[in-house]
Amino acid sequence: MVEKLFEELKNITEVEAIALGGSRAGEAFDEKSDYDVYLYCTGDIDDTTRKNILEKYCDYIELGNHFWELEDNCTLKNGIDIDILYRNLDDFTNDVASVVEGFNARTGYTTCMWHNLLTCKIICDKNGRLQATKDRFNVPYPKELKENIINKNMSLLSGMLPSYDGQITKAVNRGDLVSVNHRTAAFMESYFDVLFALNEHTHPGEKRLLSLSKKNLRILPANFEENINKLFADLFTNPENIGDDIAEIVIELRKIV
């Protein structure tokens, strides 16, 4: 079913390349795993064209969602979800280049799109441009990028007036649980950005970060998993402990940085 869908998508004039991402692009998937499909396009594909194709293979379709990227979120007739994302290759390339060649650090998830490119499985590449882009960025982790990610995100974790540890403490003292949750999530984004950069490993995204870190990262803080689990156990049951939990996580991270 999916192969037939790909064949129809290939025939759309505006489709330049198709890539499969997520677990389906590697070996860690089963028959129930979702599909993450990336269509690199030279122009917009009208809604009717997309809908007419998708209706043949999907029981449920959400056409043109635009929460992050433009995408069609669907459920195939076999019950498996499929997300089809539409990208301009030039824009995507420039975004990756700003990180890999421009060494621009972000506040969490800095190298996610680079990771997405390197790990994707190319299904169709009419002019070879997606493979050329993949080859261009298949380079050693830049030292300047590593330093920029660590410096920027370590400062966000602790030590500056706007740092997350101070924001979290203030939110706890106010009894503002929504803010505690929001700032703790931001803290973890910067924390893992530092960890992956320190190990010169591209960031895989927001899912299964504990298990992926233990599996793939050579350098980890002492009591890595235990300290994170304690933070989340205290988050809403023992908020008075959160400050100490955050401080311990930062202390152990600084030791390896």
Side-chain angles (χ1 to χ4, degrees):
M1 181 187 298
V2 175
E3 290 176 359
K4 290 180 180 178
L5 172 58
F6 287 163
E7 284 299 321
E8 292 215 43
L9 294 173
K10 287 179 189 178
N11 292 328
I12 299 175
T13 303
E14 293 86 355
V15 172
E16 180 173 10
I18 301 174
L20 190 61
S23 60
R24 288 277 181 178
E27 297 178 353
F29 69 91
D30 57 36
E31 68 276 5
K32 298 297 183 183
S33 297
D34 296 349
Y35 287 89
D36 297 314
V37 182
Y38 303 93
L39 266 61
Y40 293 90
C41 306
T42 58
D44 295 336
I45 306 169
D46 66 84
D47 291 354
T48 301
T49 297
R50 297 183 351 250
K51 184 171 183 288
N52 287 342
I53 292 174
L54 292 173
E55 281 181 335
K56 300 177 186 178
Y57 305 97
C58 301
D59 281 333
Y60 178 78
I61 299 170
E62 291 181 0
L63 202 69
N65 283 336
H66 211 317
F67 301 114
W68 297 278
E69 300 180 70
L70 175 63
E71 54 192 88
D72 297 329
N73 306 113
C74 313
T75 302
L76 294 164
K77 293 183 182 293
N78 61 9
I80 298 175
D81 290 338
I82 181 169
D83 298 327
I84 303 175
L85 290 80
Y86 300 88
R87 294 171 170 173
N88 176 279
L89 184 54
D90 291 328
D91 292 342
F92 179 77
T93 301
N94 290 336
D95 183 59
V96 176
S98 73
V99 171
V100 183
E101 298 171 346
F103 318 128
N104 290 304
R106 297 171 184 175
T107 55
Y109 301 112
T110 299
T111 58
C112 278
M113 288 302 182
W114 183 22
H115 181 89
N116 178 261
L117 174 64
L118 293 180
T119 59
C120 77
K121 179 180 180 181
I122 298 176
I123 304 298
C124 163
D125 195 9
K126 293 177 180 177
N127 301 305
R129 290 214 306 145
L130 181 56
Q131 184 62 57
T133 303
K134 196 171 185 176
D135 293 342
R136 171 181 169 183
F137 296 114
N138 187 16
V139 296
Y141 203 108
K143 178 182 177 182
E144 296 92 335
L145 176 61
K146 176 180 178 177
E147 292 175 349
N148 289 345
I149 292 174
I150 290 173
N151 290 337
K152 181 170 187 172
N153 285 278
M154 285 299 295
S155 295
L156 279 168
L157 292 179
S158 183
M160 308 289 287
L161 284 175
S163 297
Y164 294 136
D165 60 347
Q167 293 187 45
I168 293 167
T169 298
K170 290 178 182 178
V172 169
N173 293 336
R174 289 194 302 265
D176 187 350
L177 295 183
V178 173
S179 182
V180 170
N181 182 71
H182 186 260
R183 293 292 84 189
T184 301
F187 176 91
M188 297 311 301
E189 289 174 7
S190 286
Y191 175 78
F192 279 103
D193 221 18
V194 171
L195 271 187
F196 284 103
L198 180 65
N199 284 272
E200 299 181 1
H201 196 290
T202 54
H203 196 307
E206 77 279 6
K207 297 178 182 177
R208 298 182 287 122
L209 284 176
L210 283 176
S211 60
L212 289 174
S213 295
K214 290 192 297 179
K215 177 182 177 182
N216 297 323
L217 303 187
R218 181 176 57 87
I219 306 170
L220 286 175
N223 304 314
F224 165 66
E225 187 171 14
E226 294 87 344
N227 285 340
I228 291 176
N229 286 339
K230 187 175 187 307
L231 169 62
F232 283 101
D234 287 335
L235 202 55
F236 300 114
T237 55
N238 300 292
E240 68 277 6
N241 296 334
I242 292 176
D244 290 339
D245 295 339
I246 291 286
E248 184 64 20
I249 289 172
V250 172
I251 287 170
E252 295 301 335
L253 182 61
R254 280 181 174 151
K255 288 179 181 177
I256 62 172
V257 168

